[in-house]
Amino acid sequence: MEKATERQRILLRHLQPSSSSDASLSASACLSKDSAAYQYGDDVVIVAAQRTALCKAKRGSFKDTFPDELLASVLRALIEKTNVNPSEVGDIVVGTVLGPGSQRASECRMAAFYAGFPETVPIRTVNRQCSSGLQAVADVAAAIKAGFYDIGIGAGLESMTTNPRGWKGSVNPNVKKFEQAHNCLLPMGITSENVAHRFNVSREEQDQAAVDSHRKAASATASGKFKDEITPVKTKIVDPKTGDEKPITVSVDDGIRPNTTLSGLAKLKPVFKEDGTTTAGNSSQLSDGAGAVLLMRRNVAMQKGLPILGVFRTFSAVGVDPAIMGVGPAVAIPAAVKAAGLELNDVDLFEINEAFASQFVYCRNKLGLDAEKINVNGGAIAIGHPLGATGARCVATLLHEMKRRGKDCRFGVVSMCIGSGMGAAAVFERGGGVDELCDVRKV
Amino acid sequence: MPVFKAPFNGYSVKFSPFYESRLAVATAQNFGILGNGRIHVLELAPGAPGVTESVSYDTADAVYDVCWSESHDSVLIAAIGDGSVKIYDTALPPPSNPIRSFQEHAREVQSVDYNPTRRDSFLTSSWDDTVKLWAMDRPASVRTFKEHAYCVYQAVWNPKHGDVFASASGDCTLRIWDVREPGSTMIIPAHDFEILSCDWNKYDDCILATSSVDKTVKVWDVRSYRVPLAVLNGHGYAVRKVKFSPHRRSLIASCSYDMSVCLWDYMVEDALVGRYDHHTEFAVGIDMSVLVEGLMASTGWDELVYVWQQGMDPRAS
């Protein structure tokens, strides 16, 4: 049997990918096959993913922190963790929703300087509502794939303390003529009620999802699972009475309530509809926080000797009925998984944003997902949902959990619903500890 | 076009230098990794598209290569996975075969090539990093060439100079030898990755081609070996075998783990002149007939042997 193993080894060496990809022209003929061999070196991989703790808006540990300081913390963390020369970064894309457009863009630029990036590194923002952080990661992956640059950062930033939600200005009267346009004005909580009502998601199911979220998040925090992904932030907190400033280091999410119970949640009154089911307890929390993901071409990562945390595989953004915007993941996830050439059963781990328990429960049931695979360390109901940062936060949480699980976990999915009726999802593959690189596909 | 289905995975196919309709196929069980091997001698039916087996020989281990003698029309030599080299006479019944067996290589024998000019000797190359020279009238190898640092996948005689041969190795070097010299006369670091095959040009004794894990075929001139004459890109995986045409000076055939057989004219700007994708597993054996111009044969791990005319579809019937 040793002889067979040895022969197999010799044969497999013939099939190793040639990492020195030829720059010379390839001859071709009319008889050419329609698909070229797969080039592993061109994969877009993630070598680091970090986030800040997520803290309650207005009342949490980041209530007196400037938004750009949050972003600077995670950008600096990526550089320190990998020792990548910041000047090699081709672009930084920041998902962010509520900050005023051009001011937020300038704040992000300032944050890059605080983090040690030279003026030669550009930065921009992207807003696809609740999926902006994920969209930022996808934009960078697409740019690397397109060859615009080899190294990029997809990030997310939100301070709901500084920039609360709200519609500014008047509404175009035409909105009355188009029901779907009108439904874009619905408060998010009303869309949650619509999902619960239309798809019969009971109050109890929603409250149970909230209890699970808090329980899992508390357990993850207690066992130190978030330590690797959370970057401590040195900041200050101001006593509202005396005005005294006190320096603090924030490294723990402060919205998690370990003692949450079904009976406790049952006492809460619905917020958006008199006889509704959506409460403050089974909705995501308004939060402050940031996240960032360092992506590069696999060739570059191997050349730098950086461990690969994950591989970016596919991204899908889809449109759905604005009145029930929460169903977005149920449409986006199958699209992204299919684009990756996989089945839902092939996915080992999901991070699905819990904007509201109703839409979370609906999407889980609609897709027939195993609850043991979803938000295994809690979700936005417990941890928080800083709109533009959530996508990057979920990527960091997913990849770190995949790394912990090792070979038992090969594919992961991040997804969220999007206000005004969209869904987004991305498929990642675990990068570290896989079998030696090989062109042979397992049967 | 003739197709033959073998019970084992194909490794090599060779046309007879004496009969237009005859070829030999080397096969191995379980992709040559574990199990037995078999040599098939096939006859092409005249005119009609058919191929029949005239005789076959079983071996205890994989048969990686086979070649015909250039001096006796019925003699075959096989390179066996257990390190043995066996000689068969197809004129004798199976129980009388092999007529001789040499057990000198320490590891798998990967290739065998008969001297086309002297006609009294042959070469074998092995995973024991050596090439051995044998004479038909000697009970043991005449000489062992030991310079390679890894598996030697191919050793092939120069078509005009009876004492010169080239060897291709996984150590990324192509070496040119003269059996009258104590060591190799030339070392060409032909590829950055393992070299799986090499072959001499039939019309210019200074030109040869190499194929490699890096998915390319390169053409070299020993008179100016620092830079290849041509680099042929187009295969999607390692190129397992490369063969120069006996009829056209600059025509090359190659087969690859991408399951295709390609035809190249290395002196033309757009070198890839044909691609055949008839195999459904790794294509590992390729040959061109010296007696019938344009006649080609290939075999692969799909257990099939195809024989077809250049320009035609091997699968056409």
Side-chain angles (χ1 to χ4, degrees):
Chain A
M1 191 56 65
E2 294 81 20
K3 184 193 271 188
T5 303
E6 181 62 14
R7 288 183 183 179
Q8 193 170 288
R9 187 187 67 82
I10 286 176
L11 281 165
L12 286 175
R13 279 182 56 150
H14 296 176
L15 298 161
Q16 292 298 312
S18 312
S19 47
S20 60
S21 46
D22 271 25
S24 56
L25 293 170
S26 283
S28 66
C30 300
L31 299 168
S32 298
K33 286 188 171 179
D34 51 22
S35 67
Y38 184 56
Q39 294 283 343
Y40 279 85
D42 281 351
D43 281 345
V44 176
V45 302
I46 292 105
V47 297
Q50 294 292 119
R51 67 174 179 95
T52 64
L54 304 189
C55 301
K56 295 176 190 177
K58 296 188 191 296
R59 291 174 291 134
S61 303
F62 288 140
K63 67 183 178 70
D64 304 305
T65 305
F66 289 102
D68 46 10
E69 199 61 61
L70 297 176
L71 178 60
S73 300
V74 287
L75 294 181
R76 188 182 301 116
L78 293 181
I79 298 304
E80 287 171 356
K81 212 162 182 93
T82 59
N83 267 314
V84 165
N85 185 340
S87 63
E88 290 181 44
V89 174
D91 203 0
I92 303 172
V93 182
V94 184
T96 182
V97 179
L98 300 174
S102 65
Q103 176 181 325
R104 178 47 50 86
S106 293
E107 284 170 344
C108 293
R109 178 72 164 159
M110 291 151 65
F113 291 136
Y114 303 154
F117 286 84
E119 66 187 20
T120 51
V121 176
I123 192 163
R124 71 171 170 93
T125 58
V126 62
N127 181 351
R128 204 198 274 274
Q129 309 286 7
C130 299
S131 73
S132 300
L134 185 64
Q135 182 70 63
V137 171
D139 284 0
V140 171
I144 292 173
K145 226 173 250 289
F148 296 167
Y149 43 81
D150 286 338
I151 302 173
I153 293 173
L157 164 67
E158 208 69 71
S159 169
M160 299 176 85
T161 296
T162 306
N163 312 108
R165 315 174 70 131
W167 184 277
K168 295 181 177 68
S170 55
V171 175
N172 185 335
N174 271 336
V175 78
K176 294 175 193 128
K177 301 175 189 170
F178 297 91
E179 183 188 350
Q180 285 165 319
H182 185 264
N183 288 339
C184 290
L185 294 173
L186 292 176
M188 293 299 100
I190 294 295
T191 67
S192 171
E193 292 291 358
N194 289 344
V195 169
H197 180 75
R198 189 179 301 192
F199 301 109
N200 293 309
V201 186
S202 70
R203 168 70 184 264
E204 191 174 46
E205 279 178 295
Q206 296 178 55
D207 285 352
Q208 183 61 57
V211 169
D212 290 343
S213 185
H214 283 285
R215 173 179 54 77
K216 290 186 281 188
S219 170
T221 300
S223 59
K225 285 188 173 176
F226 291 142
K227 271 184 167 48
D228 284 343
E229 70 190 68
I230 293 182
T231 299
V233 178
K234 288 183 165 61
T235 184
K236 68 184 188 223
I237 193 134
V238 179
D239 188 314
K241 289 172 186 160
T242 66
D244 291 343
E245 268 187 27
K246 191 176 69 171
I248 58 173
T249 299
V250 186
S251 55
V252 179
D253 304 310
D254 70 15
I256 302 169
R257 299 188 292 267
N259 299 324
T260 300
T261 61
L262 266 182
S263 57
L265 290 178
K267 294 169 186 167
L268 298 177
K269 286 179 181 166
V271 177
F272 301 97
K273 196 167 148 184
E274 191 148 5
D275 59 344
T277 54
T278 300
T279 69
N282 60 31
S283 305
S284 62
Q285 302 182 46
L286 306 185
S287 308
D288 306 326
V293 178
L294 181 57
L295 301 99
M296 56 181 67
R297 198 182 300 281
R298 188 194 286 275
N299 281 338
V300 177
M302 288 166 70
Q303 181 186 311
K304 290 180 181 299
L306 292 170
I308 290 165
L309 195 54
V311 185
F312 184 93
R313 287 290 174 214
T314 62
F315 171 82
S316 285
V318 300
V320 299
D321 183 351
I324 50 168
M325 67 93 193
V327 307
V331 182
I333 291 175
V337 168
K338 182 181 177 185
L342 303 168
E343 306 280 347
L344 278 177
N345 288 339
D346 297 322
V347 181
D348 304 292
L349 209 59
F350 294 86
E351 283 288 328
I352 301 176
N353 191 43
E354 300 165 351
F356 296 98
S358 67
Q359 53 87 205
F360 170 76
V361 169
Y362 166 76
C363 292
R364 180 187 70 197
N365 294 344
K366 170 71 176 177
L367 298 176
L369 304 180
D370 181 354
E372 294 293 311
K373 294 181 175 180
I374 313 173
N375 296 359
V376 297
N377 295 314
I381 289 172
I383 299 172
H385 177 23
L387 310 189
T390 288
R393 194 284 290 174
C394 288
V395 171
T397 302
L398 180 87
L399 293 182
H400 280 95
E401 180 65 21
M402 287 173 76
K403 180 180 177 183
R404 269 191 295 273
R405 293 181 171 218
K407 291 199 176 193
D408 288 341
C409 187
R410 181 163 177 203
F411 293 104
V413 164
V414 169
S415 184
M416 53 276 302
C417 55
I418 299 169
S420 73
M422 284 174 275
V427 176
F428 295 86
E429 182 176 3
R430 185 174 51 82
V434 294
D435 295 330
E436 188 180 331
L437 266 183
C438 188
D439 281 344
V440 181
R441 189 178 79 87
K442 287 172 186 164
V443 295
Chain B
M1 301 297 151
V3 182
F4 175 76
K5 175 72 161 66
F8 297 157
N9 311 104
Y11 255 85
S12 183
V13 59
K14 295 286 168 64
F15 282 102
S16 164
F18 293 94
Y19 302 104
E20 299 175 358
S21 61
R22 186 171 300 173
L23 32 71
V25 185
T27 68
Q29 201 171 29
N30 297 316
F31 311 104
I33 291 172
L34 191 64
N36 299 320
R38 189 174 292 180
I39 300 159
H40 300 273
V41 178
L42 309 179
E43 291 285 339
L44 305 175
V51 57
T52 58
E53 176 184 84
S54 60
V55 70
S56 72
Y57 304 104
D58 288 317
T59 56
D61 207 331
V63 186
Y64 288 138
D65 199 11
V66 68
C67 79
W68 291 95
S69 163
E70 296 276 346
S71 59
H72 295 88
D73 61 347
S74 60
V75 171
L76 268 178
I77 306 172
I80 315 289
D82 60 7
S84 67
V85 178
K86 297 183 193 294
I87 303 184
Y88 296 83
D89 189 331
T90 59
L92 300 179
S96 305
N97 279 294
I99 59 178
R100 290 174 72 193
S101 180
F102 306 103
Q103 189 75 49
E104 286 192 29
H105 278 297
R107 294 199 52 201
E108 288 83 347
V109 188
Q110 180 74 70
S111 85
V112 57
D113 191 52
Y114 204 92
N115 192 312
T117 49
R118 290 187 175 286
R119 305 186 185 197
D120 61 354
S121 57
F122 60 94
L123 295 164
T124 56
S125 75
S126 170
W127 291 5
D128 64 8
D129 310 349
T130 73
V131 177
K132 284 181 186 282
L133 171 64
W134 314 77
M136 296 303 285
D137 59 352
R138 299 281 200 93
S141 66
V142 176
R143 192 175 156 187
T144 301
F145 304 86
K146 284 184 175 175
E147 289 179 20
H148 280 297
Y150 191 59
C151 305
V152 190
Y153 293 110
Q154 182 107 56
V156 61
W157 289 106
N158 185 287
K160 287 188 162 62
H161 298 286
D163 298 310
V164 174
F165 71 91
S167 60
S169 170
D171 67 8
C172 310
T173 67
L174 168 75
R175 287 169 197 252
I176 315 297
W177 311 76
D178 187 318
V179 299
R180 298 162 298 187
E181 302 287 344
S184 62
T185 55
M186 186 173 293
I187 303 172
I188 301 177
H191 292 265
D192 291 334
F193 289 82
E194 296 188 45
I195 306 171
L196 303 182
S197 178
C198 63
D199 194 33
W200 292 93
N201 189 302
K202 309 309 176 191
Y203 292 84
D204 186 330
D205 52 12
C206 294
I207 291 173
L208 65 172
T210 54
S211 72
S212 169
V213 163
D214 69 10
K215 311 173 194 170
T216 70
V217 174
K218 291 187 183 179
V219 184
W220 303 89
D221 188 319
V222 298
R223 293 163 295 194
S224 62
Y225 55 86
R226 278 172 236 286
V227 176
L229 291 184
V231 180
L232 310 174
N233 285 287
H235 276 299
Y237 283 104
V239 190
R240 189 67 188 79
K241 293 267 173 68
V242 66
K243 195 100 183 171
F244 263 101
S245 166
H247 299 283
R248 276 177 55 191
R249 180 191 190 92
S250 56
L251 194 71
I252 295 170
S254 64
C255 61
S256 167
Y257 289 119
D258 69 5
M259 300 179 265
S260 73
V261 172
C262 287
L263 270 186
W264 317 80
D265 187 329
Y266 75 84
M267 295 183 72
V268 168
E269 186 79 29
D270 204 352
L272 183 59
V273 299
R275 189 195 290 268
Y276 305 95
D277 57 1
H278 49 292
H279 282 290
T280 57
E281 287 291 349
F282 299 161
V284 299
I286 184 74
D287 197 20
M288 299 169 106
S289 172
V290 295
L291 301 175
V292 182
E293 181 170 1
L295 193 65
M296 299 176 66
S298 71
T299 189
W301 283 14
D302 53 6
E303 300 162 359
L304 295 170
V305 182
Y306 287 90
V307 184
W308 76 100
Q309 191 72 28
Q310 261 164 53
M312 313 280 279
D313 184 347
R315 288 164 297 198
S317 57

